[in-house]
């Protein structure tokens, strides 16, 4: 395949349940509204999350599970996901430093994806109230031994939304102290629906979410997040060399079947 260049970014969290998937859902919806061809992947075995994302982007969404494809298979999967896309969004799993299945001796898939595939990354943190003291908290993440570094940060579930002036002040403060780019704060929301979790299995189908939830996620991201800043970070991704060329699929006669699915 040769060298490939595609804007790409990995969304990671400080811990499970901080709202990565909600942000990714809204971001995918917002980018599609801009007319972009968006490719997406999830790290780990988040099958139901992949189903929801595939309905939004109208492309195949892969689960990049290192137990299934190995660490070397990540690069080839990224190359194949990049074909025909304007940007690749990867949704992380759990906490960035939690390790694989909370085993600290095995690096998390998030870390492997960021470091091996040189993904720029955006850290999502849950925060009740944003104050300058949060810079000390971010310093712990950015200076963690063998950590990947972060190009941007988003705060979720804050007590109240920030004004434009407050956002500008924090953006300047973060820039002056060398912290990751401040991309916005998402206030705490109340919604009857919920997105699938990374640990959900097929026994409980949580992919039947309402259109209202998707619209709310899109509106929230458009209102509170610097989407152009996210795209700038994605544009900073380096080109990469795919290790194995994709084998062309031979042309052959085939039958086409259509299965019932809730997205129809």
């Amino acid at each position: 395949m040769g060298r490939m260049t595609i804007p790409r970014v990995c969304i990671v969290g400080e811990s499970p349940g901080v709202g990565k998937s909600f942000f990714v859902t809204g971001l995918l919806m917002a980018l599609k509204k801009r007319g972009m061809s968006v490719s997406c992947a999830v790290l780990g075995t988040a099958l139901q999350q992949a189903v929801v994302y595939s309905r939004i982007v109208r492309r195949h969404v892969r689960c990049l599970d290192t137990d299934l494809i190995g660490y070397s298979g990540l690069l080839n999967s990224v190359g194949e996901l990049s074909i025909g896309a304007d940007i690749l969004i990867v949704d992380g799993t759990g906490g960035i430093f939690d390790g694989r299945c909370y085993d600290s001796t095995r690096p998390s898939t998030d870390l492997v994806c960021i470091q091996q595939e040189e993904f720029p990354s955006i850290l999502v943190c849950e925060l009740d109230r944003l104050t300058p003291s949060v810079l000390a908290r971010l310093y712990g993440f950015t200076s963690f031994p063998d950590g990947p570094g972060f190009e941007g940060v988003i705060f979720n579930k804050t007590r109240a939304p920030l004004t434009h002036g407050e956002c500008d002040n924090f953006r300047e403060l973060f820039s002056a102290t060398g912290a990751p780019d401040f991309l916005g704060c998402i206030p705490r929301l109340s919604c009857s629906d919920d997105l699938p979790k990374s640990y959900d299995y097929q026994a409980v189908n949580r992919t039947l979410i309402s259109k209202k939830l998707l619209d709310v996620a899109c509106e929230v991201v458009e209102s509170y997040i610097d989407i152009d800043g996210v795209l700038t970070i994605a544009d900073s991704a380096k080109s990469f060399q795919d290790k194995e060329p994709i084998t062309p699929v031979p042309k052959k006669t085939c039958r086409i079947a259509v299965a019932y699915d809730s997205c129809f």
Side-chain angles (χ1 to χ4, degrees), residues 7-45:
R8 60 192 187 277
V9 64
C10 186
I11 311 301
V12 300
E14 63 171 351
S15 63
V18 295
K20 298 185 301 295
S21 298
F22 181 83
F23 166 65
V24 170
T25 299
L27 180 62
L28 296 178
M29 293 284 291
L31 296 180
K32 290 293 290 183
K33 282 180 62 176
R34 293 189 177 196
M36 298 181 66
S37 176
V38 185
S39 185
C40 184
V42 295
L43 297 178
T45 57

Side-chain angles (χ1 to χ4, degrees), residues 166-179:
E166 289 173 325
C167 286
D168 290 339
N169 290 338
F170 276 107
R171 193 169 288 112
E172 293 177 2
L173 176 62
F174 278 45
S175 176
T177 56

Side-chain angles (χ1 to χ4, degrees), residues 16-20 22 124-129 155-160 185-189 197:
V18 295
K20 298 185 301 295
F22 181 83
V124 179
C125 299
E126 183 176 342
L127 189 68
D128 182 66
R129 183 180 178 188
F155 297 101
N156 191 27
K157 304 180 183 179
T158 55
R159 185 181 306 175
C185 276
I186 299 176
R188 190 177 298 274
L189 302 171
K197 308 299 182 184

Side-chain angles (χ1 to χ4, degrees), residues 10-13 43 95-98 107-123 138-152 180 238:
C10 186
I11 311 301
V12 300
L43 297 178
I96 178 66
F97 296 121
D98 286 344
S108 69
T109 307
D110 297 38
L111 277 175
V112 173
C113 185
I114 293 170
Q115 295 174 335
Q116 180 173 306
E117 274 49 281
E118 297 185 330
F119 266 75
S121 59
I122 294 174
L123 179 68
L138 287 179
Y139 179 78
F141 280 95
T142 56
S143 61
F144 194 84
D146 299 322
F150 306 98
E151 283 67 34
K238 299 178 181 179

